[in-house]
Amino acid sequence: VTERGRAALLALAVGGRGLVDPEEPVLRADDDALLRGRAAFETLRVYGGSPFRLDDHIARLAASAERLGLPRVDPDAFRELTAVALAGAAAPDASLRLYWTPGREGAGRPTALALVSAIPPHLEEVRARGIAVVALSLGIDADRRQVAPWLLGGVKSTSYAVNMAAQQEARRRGSDDALFLSLEGLVLEGPTSNIWFREGRTLHTPALDLGILAGVTRDTLIGAATARGYSVAEGAYELDRLVVADEVFSSSSVREVVGVVAIDGSRVGGGAPGEAALELQQALRDAAAG
Amino acid sequence: VTERGRAALLALAVGGRGLVDPEEPVLRADDDALLRGRAAFETLRVYGGSPFRLDDHIARLAASAERLGLPRVDPDAFRELTAVALAGAAAPDASLRLYWTPGREGAGRPTALALVSAIPPHLEEVRARGIAVVALSLGIDADRRQVAPWLLGGVKSTSYAVNMAAQQEARRRGSDDALFLSLEGLVLEGPTSNIWFREGRTLHTPALDLGILAGVTRDTLIGAATARGYSVAEGAYELDRLVVADEVFSSSSVREVVGVVAIDGSRVGGGAPGEAALELQQALRDAAAG
């Protein structure tokens, strides 16, 4: 997406070692994270020095690790590592990424990493204008990932090559991001975000049983929207429903709430970020401020 | 699979640095290979000090890199790196893995790695008894990956978490390996191998336009089988066809030719490695000897 670029790595903490110079190599060549993309990860936002909903992110990391067959995640160890990394960066607003790799092939010595990076530049410009997305099929039937755990639906692993290739395809088509559809054409999620649309005072977002990621920000917004008098529905939606909706927006931890102003080259929601996107972005910031 | 375990890393060569102690960390925490599984790789067999069909593997690495949007692969650099790594290992028979990572996030400084590892133990025992596989659906329709390049069909990236999860599921069910099916039930490939079956003097293997990996060993066997008087057909096959075939086997660079003796708990091919598997394993060794 357009705000991509070098997200300057401000601080790095490594399990068992504490703060480590980000310039220092920390993974061996035969780490399973490199060899097979078999590491669990989380990305979260740090507001005013506090990682937002850290425990929920660590819980999801633990669930991903279990599904990937990795050693058990110790939540306390990740909380400590996070504190070390954040103290090392001294950036009140930042992006925090947590990684849990199984370690060297066959050795069974996992590694925990906490990376603090600068917020990508131009994010507020992107939020002001909104993004254009293209719908790309994942080619998988919507019910499949519920019954086929090996497809890792809802698991946040570092095997993100398809997600990145989809974003690349979107940019090749002159858009900012991709929106994944199921085989049947049901709307699923973005490569790194959840998707929403508004019809009057009702907000809709795809249901988790479609095998999508259970976004922590998605969950925050469900609560915030309900508290502000919206009805929130989780369901299975055709793309057409979004095209004619009052507005469309995406949610993710670092990019937060961003309006979607075009789908497949056609304007949606009047071609500008909508009122719910603006209101929920503010609500998210309020929630983060405590 | 049963022969998994610590594949002892014998030597490591890193682009621009030459031979590096395998104990030394070489990747930074913000390498895209870790962050997003967006690296291209190849695995090949070294016979008597010579990497088998190295140029073909490097060509496939270059094709994978292009599809992943990575910087262009320099074949000469990989040939040199391979020579350095092999000289450092001094193991006449080994497994060689080549990696091409895009480097640190946003920095655009890719890294080439060549890893020489011991051949996994117990491989000949596995070959003597054959393996049991379970059929697992990928949930993708068979034609999809041809028209949806972002799904990375036929691309060898390090985003292998689903492949590993499928092998894990297979072991959970008491088998050795998985066999991927399309949504329609067509046989595709194993997580790290191609699949074959024999009917009389005809060998069948799934066609590349199903979005499967174009195995270098698969290609070697097509030539070797034809030279030995087999007909070789590439097509789209239902699983039932394999269940009643005269024999079933898999091919891959390091495991080479291994008979499949059970599918989903039912004996296939008489429950023992078949004659074509044995003959083609010998043919592969002859080709490697040269």
Side-chain angles (χ1 to χ4, degrees):
Chain A
V1 298
T2 35
E3 74 270 26
R4 174 79 57 71
R6 182 81 191 269
L9 182 54
L10 305 173
L12 166 67
V14 180
R17 293 183 58 195
L19 214 55
V20 169
D21 183 348
E23 299 299 315
E24 188 186 318
V26 293
L27 292 184
R28 291 181 177 79
D30 59 347
D31 196 293
D32 242 9
L34 167 65
L35 300 182
R36 304 184 179 94
R38 204 168 72 88
F41 82 105
E42 285 294 318
T43 302
L44 57 155
R45 183 68 156 79
V46 181
Y47 296 100
S50 297
F52 187 56
R53 297 188 62 174
L54 176 62
D55 285 353
D56 295 307
H57 281 282
I58 292 175
R60 192 172 64 179
L61 184 76
S64 294
E66 189 179 349
R67 290 279 304 282
L68 292 165
L70 306 186
R72 204 179 61 78
V73 162
D74 175 356
D76 285 337
F78 268 100
R79 275 190 283 269
E80 278 171 42
L81 200 65
T82 295
V84 169
L86 290 176
D93 289 282
S95 155
L96 169 69
R97 290 180 284 189
L98 304 177
Y99 288 84
W100 181 237
T101 100
R104 304 181 74 179
E105 188 172 34
R109 298 247 298 272
T111 307
L113 302 169
L115 284 70
V116 184
S117 303
I119 300 294
H122 312 304
L123 207 46
E124 294 313 317
E125 290 166 45
V126 170
R127 197 186 323 286
R129 68 168 169 79
I131 58 172
V133 305
V134 293
L136 298 178
S137 179
L138 269 186
I140 295 185
D141 48 325
D143 297 333
R144 177 71 54 172
R145 292 188 285 184
Q146 270 197 294
V147 296
W150 54 90
L151 298 180
L152 301 177
V155 172
K156 210 165 166 78
S157 87
T158 56
S159 282
Y160 251 41
V162 164
N163 301 50
M164 296 300 109
Q167 291 190 328
Q168 219 165 275
E169 175 72 13
R171 287 191 296 269
R172 199 183 64 75
R173 298 190 192 178
S175 285
D176 300 296
D177 204 352
L179 176 60
F180 286 131
L181 305 182
S182 75
L183 180 79
E184 308 88 344
L186 297 176
V187 174
L188 299 174
E189 62 191 337
T192 62
S193 62
N194 288 115
I195 188 81
W196 299 72
F197 63 99
R198 179 176 65 83
E199 293 173 338
R201 290 294 293 170
T202 302
L203 299 178
H204 299 271
T205 193
L208 297 182
D209 60 13
L210 296 167
I212 63 172
L213 198 75
V216 173
T217 304
R218 175 185 181 279
D219 184 66
T220 303
L221 296 187
I222 288 175
T226 307
R228 275 157 188 78
Y230 289 102
S231 297
V232 177
E234 301 174 70
Y237 308 104
E238 308 265 350
L239 187 62
D240 289 351
R241 197 78 182 268
L242 279 67
V243 171
V244 299
D246 293 320
E247 67 173 291
V248 183
F249 56 93
S250 71
S251 68
S252 61
S253 291
V254 171
R255 202 168 63 181
E256 303 170 294
V257 183
V258 173
V260 173
V261 296
I263 298 178
D264 292 338
S266 299
R267 273 168 52 140
V268 297
E275 60 190 51
L278 295 171
E279 189 179 354
L280 291 176
Q281 170 64 16
Q282 190 53 53
L284 181 60
R285 289 294 178 97
D286 292 346
Chain B
V1 300
T2 36
E3 75 270 24
R4 177 76 57 73
R6 181 82 191 270
L9 182 54
L10 305 173
L12 167 66
V14 179
R17 293 183 57 195
L19 215 54
V20 170
D21 183 347
E23 299 300 314
E24 188 185 318
V26 292
L27 291 185
R28 291 181 177 80
D30 59 347
D31 196 292
D32 242 10
L34 166 65
L35 300 182
R36 305 184 179 94
R38 205 168 71 88
F41 82 105
E42 286 294 318
T43 303
L44 56 154
R45 182 68 155 81
V46 181
Y47 295 101
S50 297
F52 186 58
R53 296 190 62 174
L54 176 63
D55 286 352
D56 295 308
H57 280 282
I58 292 176
R60 192 172 64 178
L61 183 75
S64 293
E66 189 178 349
R67 291 280 304 280
L68 291 165
L70 306 185
R72 204 179 62 79
V73 161
D74 175 355
D76 284 338
F78 268 99
R79 275 190 283 270
E80 277 171 42
L81 200 66
T82 295
V84 169
L86 289 177
D93 289 281
S95 155
L96 169 69
R97 289 180 285 189
L98 304 176
Y99 289 84
W100 181 237
T101 100
R104 304 181 74 178
E105 187 173 33
R109 298 248 298 272
T111 308
L113 302 169
L115 285 69
V116 184
S117 302
I119 299 293
H122 312 304
L123 206 46
E124 294 313 317
E125 290 165 43
V126 170
R127 195 184 326 286
R129 68 168 167 79
I131 58 172
V133 304
V134 293
L136 298 179
S137 179
L138 269 186
I140 295 184
D141 47 326
D143 297 332
R144 177 70 54 173
R145 292 188 286 184
Q146 269 197 294
V147 296
W150 55 89
L151 297 180
L152 301 177
V155 172
K156 210 164 165 78
S157 87
T158 56
S159 281
Y160 251 41
V162 164
N163 301 50
M164 297 300 110
Q167 291 190 329
Q168 219 165 274
E169 175 72 15
R171 287 191 295 270
R172 200 184 63 76
R173 297 189 191 179
S175 285
D176 300 295
D177 205 350
L179 176 59
F180 286 131
L181 305 182
S182 75
L183 179 80
E184 307 88 345
L186 297 176
V187 174
L188 298 175
E189 61 191 338
T192 61
S193 61
N194 289 114
I195 189 80
W196 299 73
F197 63 98
R198 180 176 64 82
E199 293 173 337
R201 290 295 293 170
T202 302
L203 299 179
H204 299 271
T205 193
L208 297 182
D209 60 15
L210 295 167
I212 63 172
L213 198 75
V216 173
T217 305
R218 175 185 180 279
D219 183 66
T220 302
L221 295 188
I222 288 175
T226 307
R228 274 157 189 79
Y230 289 101
S231 298
V232 177
E234 300 174 71
Y237 307 103
E238 308 265 351
L239 187 62
D240 289 351
R241 197 76 182 269
L242 278 68
V243 171
V244 299
D246 293 320
E247 68 175 290
V248 182
F249 57 93
S250 71
S251 68
S252 60
S253 291
V254 171
R255 203 168 63 181
E256 303 170 296
V257 183
V258 173
V260 172
V261 297
I263 298 178
D264 292 338
S266 298
R267 273 169 51 141
V268 296
E275 59 190 53
L278 296 171
E279 189 178 354
L280 290 176
Q281 170 64 16
Q282 189 54 53
L284 181 60
R285 290 294 178 96
D286 291 347

